[in-house]
Amino acid sequence: MTKQIEKPGAPFVGGRVRRTSQRRVTMTDVAREAGCSQATVSFVLNQSPGIKLSAQTRDRVYDAARRLGYAAPVARLQVASPSERRQIGFLVDQMSASPEAAVAIDGAGVAARANGDLLMVSQTFNDPATEAELVRAFVGQGVSALVYMSIFTREIELSAELLDLDIPVFLLNCYTTGQSHPAVVPSEIAGGQRSTRYVIDQGHRRIATITGEIWMEAAQDRLKGYRRALATADIPFDPALVVEGDWSASAGYAATRQLLDLPNRPTAIFCQNDRMAIGCYEALKEAGLDIPRDMSVIGYDDEEISRHMHPALTTSILPHRAMGQWIIEQIEEMADHPGGRYPITKLECPLVERASVAAPKG
C-alpha cells in the first residue's frame, strides 16, 4: 500500500493529509515552509514595529508566503475604523495546561482579523468569581459575542452571568445539556476509530491501546472508536490490550512495558496522545524492538514533537485551530437566529500518515 506522506502545508481531506486538494493557507504553513516560528511569520507579515529581524529572515518569510499563496488578512483592518470593528470576548478556563488553548485562540484570532474584528482573550483559572468579573468586564467593553472554551472536552453548566447575557455565547471544546448554545468539539469517537482502522488496514489484528485518564470524555470516546474499529473488522476485544495512562510520556513508557510482558504481545500500539507515544518509543527501543518493523505505533494530537520522532509518528490532528475559526465564522450567522437548540458541531481529527506504522512481520 502506497502511503501519502505529510508535506509542509499539505491539506487534509477525508481524514488524511493529501497534496491534491485545496485549503486555506495559514501562518503555521508559512512558518514550516520558511523554517521559522509562527511568531516570526506574524512579526514579518504584520510589519510589527520594534522587532529586529534580519533581511534574510524577512525575505525567507515573504518568499514562503508567496510560494504557498498566503493572503495576509490585513486589507479589511486598514479600511475599518476602531468604531466599526466588532469586539469578541474569548474566555478559557486554563491556558497553560496544554497547547490546545493557544492553538484555538490563534485560529479564532486569524479568523477575527480577517473579518476586521478584535478578539479579546482572558482566562478564568476555573474560578467562578473571576469568571463573573471577566464577563462583566467584557460586557463593559461592548463585546458583541462571547466565546467560552474549556481545556478538557466536557459538558458544562453555564454560570448565571453567562446565561443572563443578551449577546450570543458560543462554546468551544464544551457543550451544555439541552444544546442551548452553539458548540463545537472534536469528533473523538471517529478519530479513535479512524486511527485503529488505519492500523487494521496494514494487516494488524492484535492491537493494543494506551488510553488517557478514563474519566475524561476524550479518553472514553477514543476508546469507543478503538472498540468500534475492532468490531467492524471482526476482531475480538481483549481487555488485556487496553492499559490506562495519564497522557504523560512516563505513562506511555510504563504501559508499553506492561504490554511487552504479555504472553501474546500486540503487533501495534495505539497511543491516545503523542506524549504517551514518546514513552512508548523509549520502552520499545529499550527492549531492542524496531519501529515499525517489530512494532507499529500510532499517536494522537499531532504535537510538534511527532514530526521529529524517529521514525516520524503517524498521528491525528486535534482540530482546535479549525474549531476557533469555526466559532468566529458562525458568530454573525447565528447571531441572527437566537434561541432554540443548536446541534453540537463535531470537527474531524484528520489522520497524518508518517513512518511509524507498517505491516506486521510475517
Side-chain angles (χ1 to χ4, degrees):
M1 178 178 180
T2 302
K3 293 186 178 181
Q4 298 291 328
I5 302 299
E6 179 200 26
K7 299 292 182 183
F12 45 85
V13 173
R16 296 186 185 178
V17 167
R18 301 295 184 201
R19 298 172 57 188
T20 56
S21 60
Q22 297 295 320
R23 71 170 173 86
R24 182 177 180 176
V25 178
T26 68
M27 281 192 184
T28 301
D29 299 322
V30 177
R32 291 179 187 171
E33 182 76 8
C36 62
S37 70
Q38 187 173 330
T40 297
V41 171
S42 178
F43 290 143
V44 172
L45 297 183
N46 292 318
Q47 300 180 2
S48 301
I51 305 298
K52 295 181 179 180
L53 293 170
S54 69
Q56 292 86 348
T57 297
R58 292 180 186 275
D59 289 344
R60 196 165 71 246
V61 170
Y62 285 131
D63 288 345
R66 280 192 291 269
R67 286 196 302 272
L68 295 177
Y70 177 79
V74 297
R76 202 170 156 185
L77 279 179
Q78 294 171 343
V79 173
S81 68
S83 61
E84 295 172 334
R85 292 166 68 178
R86 181 172 56 183
Q87 299 180 41
I88 302 168
F90 192 115
L91 284 177
V92 58
D93 53 9
Q94 291 183 19
M95 290 188 188
S96 60
S98 68
E100 281 76 32
V103 171
I105 291 168
D106 179 67
V110 169
R113 185 173 175 81
N115 290 339
D117 299 332
L118 284 176
L119 187 72
M120 300 186 293
V121 181
S122 191
Q123 64 177 326
T124 69
F125 300 97
N126 280 315
D127 177 59
T130 300
E131 178 182 307
E133 187 174 354
L134 287 169
V135 171
R136 290 191 294 269
F138 277 144
V139 171
Q141 289 288 327
V143 298
S144 57
L146 196 144
V147 181
Y148 184 90
M149 177 183 181
S150 64
I151 289 298
F152 303 122
T153 307
R154 58 189 174 94
E155 181 181 312
I156 63 170
E157 290 187 14
L158 291 178
S159 65
E161 286 76 16
L162 289 170
L163 288 172
D164 291 341
L165 291 178
D166 58 1
I167 59 174
V169 176
F170 296 81
L171 306 179
L172 198 159
N173 209 40
C174 54
Y175 57 94
T176 59
T177 302
Q179 301 175 5
S180 58
H181 293 74
V184 60
V185 299
S187 185
E188 299 280 23
I189 295 177
Q193 184 171 357
R194 182 181 296 113
S195 297
T196 309
R197 183 72 215 185
Y198 178 74
V199 177
I200 292 171
D201 288 344
Q202 310 308 308
H204 295 273
R205 294 189 63 82
R206 189 156 178 81
I207 304 163
T209 187
I210 305 172
T211 74
E213 294 167 286
I214 208 62
W215 62 267
M216 294 186 184
E217 285 193 22
Q220 295 170 13
D221 287 349
R222 292 172 196 181
L223 181 60
K224 288 177 185 176
Y226 163 83
R227 296 193 64 164
R228 282 188 186 181
L230 295 180
T232 56
D234 293 325
I235 299 175
F237 173 72
D238 184 351
L241 294 179
V242 178
V243 182
E244 182 177 349
D246 62 8
W247 310 111
S248 70
S250 296
Y253 176 87
T256 302
R257 291 286 300 269
Q258 181 177 331
L259 291 168
L260 292 179
D261 286 339
L262 292 174
N264 186 11
R265 289 178 173 179
T267 61
I269 300 175
F270 169 27
C271 298
Q272 293 189 13
N273 77 335
D274 293 345
R275 295 181 190 181
M276 292 193 296
I278 294 172
C280 176
Y281 268 42
E282 290 303 310
L284 293 174
K285 291 177 181 180
E286 186 179 272
L289 299 178
D290 178 81
I291 306 166
R293 187 182 66 231
D294 300 319
M295 183 77 71
S296 288
V297 180
I298 189 168
Y300 207 100
D301 289 356
D302 192 36
E303 291 197 36
E304 179 68 22
I305 187 63
S306 64
R307 301 170 179 82
H308 307 291
M309 295 167 67
H310 184 72
L313 180 66
T314 295
T315 186
S316 293
I317 298 172
L318 270 179
H320 284 79
R321 178 171 284 104
M323 288 159 61
Q325 293 171 340
W326 181 91
I327 285 280
I328 301 302
E329 291 165 359
Q330 299 303 309
I331 285 178
E332 187 168 344
E333 177 182 338
M334 292 190 178
D336 297 331
H337 303 86
R341 296 175 74 252
Y342 300 90
I344 300 172
T345 298
K346 295 186 177 182
L347 299 189
E348 69 172 346
C349 303
L351 184 72
V352 183
E353 301 176 34
R354 296 194 179 106
S356 63
V357 177
K361 291 172 65 175

